[in-house]
Amino acid sequence: MARPVTISNEQILEAARIVFVRDGSNATTKDIAQQAGVGEGSLFRRFPTKEALFSAAVVNPSVPAWVRELEALVGQGDLRANLVSVARGMIHFAIEMLPLVMVTWAGKAENRSASAESLEAPGVRDRRHLTRFLQQEMEQGRLRTCNAEAIARMFFGACLNLVMDRITLRQSLPLEEVETFTEELVDAMWVGIAPV
């Protein structure tokens, strides 16, 4: 009789993310297994190679929580408050994912192009969801009719830029600063997108 699974794939992937961010391409499956509290055999039963584990941990094909919440927000509540919430969700997701993207970019040249293509897809996908959300709000008259994709790019880019600045400067991003930044970002953008 097989032993029941006591650790989820997501727990293994979270351990892998920690080790990949810490050690970059020097990360070993032994270190990842130790971080996850399992044997290396458990890793290889679920992910046949280190590359497969890296891909599953870094690419993170799941849709972020902030994107999943967009559909429920369309036409509901205070739009400005919704946009602040979306921006905060983007920033918190970027804090987790941008270090992994940087690890991928710093990796071996032969792995970089395949991984970069995979990493780009979720960001593009997420921005498209944001664009669609903005379009739906425009259709309901809750936003001025304008180029939703341009607004989504500015909004998305501002949030990612804040996180990237902190990562490159090796500074933390306090919650209070995220709260202030997102409110000021939405206030600044609101001038151009508020319904007429």
Side-chain angles (χ1 to χ4, degrees):
M1 176 181 222
R3 288 188 351 210
V5 175
T6 58
I7 187 168
S8 69
N9 282 354
E10 188 50 44
Q11 289 169 308
I12 290 173
L13 294 175
E14 181 56 34
R17 288 180 195 111
I18 291 167
V19 175
F20 283 127
V21 167
R22 183 187 71 213
D23 299 343
S25 61
N26 294 326
T28 66
T29 54
K30 179 181 178 185
D31 292 337
I32 294 167
Q34 186 175 21
Q35 178 73 32
V38 298
E40 277 186 280
S42 293
L43 293 182
F44 289 120
R45 278 191 287 284
R46 298 181 197 195
F47 305 96
T49 64
K50 177 181 165 184
E51 290 75 22
L53 178 57
F54 181 82
S55 179
V58 173
V59 172
N60 193 9
S62 64
V63 177
W66 72 266
V67 172
R68 290 191 307 269
E69 294 167 1
L70 287 176
E71 191 173 318
L73 292 176
V74 174
Q76 302 300 312
D78 178 72
L79 182 53
R80 287 175 83 161
N82 291 348
L83 290 171
V84 168
S85 177
V86 167
R88 289 177 182 166
M90 275 186 217
I91 289 169
H92 292 296
F93 182 71
I95 288 169
E96 294 174 18
M97 289 309 295
L98 279 177
L100 295 169
V101 171
M102 294 172 80
V103 166
T104 300
W105 289 342
K108 297 178 182 175
E110 62 270 16
N111 295 332
R112 192 170 25 235
S113 63
S115 297
E117 288 171 13
S118 300
L119 282 169
E120 181 181 27
V124 171
R125 173 203 63 205
D126 299 346
R127 196 181 64 245
R128 285 186 187 137
H129 283 285
L130 179 60
T131 299
R132 181 69 188 132
F133 168 75
L134 294 170
Q135 287 170 334
Q136 290 172 317
E137 292 289 5
M138 287 174 198
E139 290 164 6
Q140 293 191 18
R142 289 168 42 98
L143 283 179
R144 176 180 302 158
T145 301
C146 55
N147 185 327
E149 183 178 357
I151 300 302
R153 283 181 180 275
M154 287 187 289
F155 197 69
F156 198 76
C159 292
L160 294 183
N161 181 263
L162 175 69
V163 176
M164 186 62 107
D165 282 353
R166 291 314 170 96
I167 290 171
T168 56
L169 295 172
R170 298 184 187 271
Q171 296 176 345
S172 65
L173 187 54
L175 180 60
E176 304 82 35
E177 187 173 345
V178 171
E179 290 175 357
T180 301
F181 173 83
T182 53
E183 289 170 11
E184 291 174 354
L185 172 65
V186 171
D187 286 346
M189 293 187 75
W190 194 254
V191 173
I193 63 176
V196 240

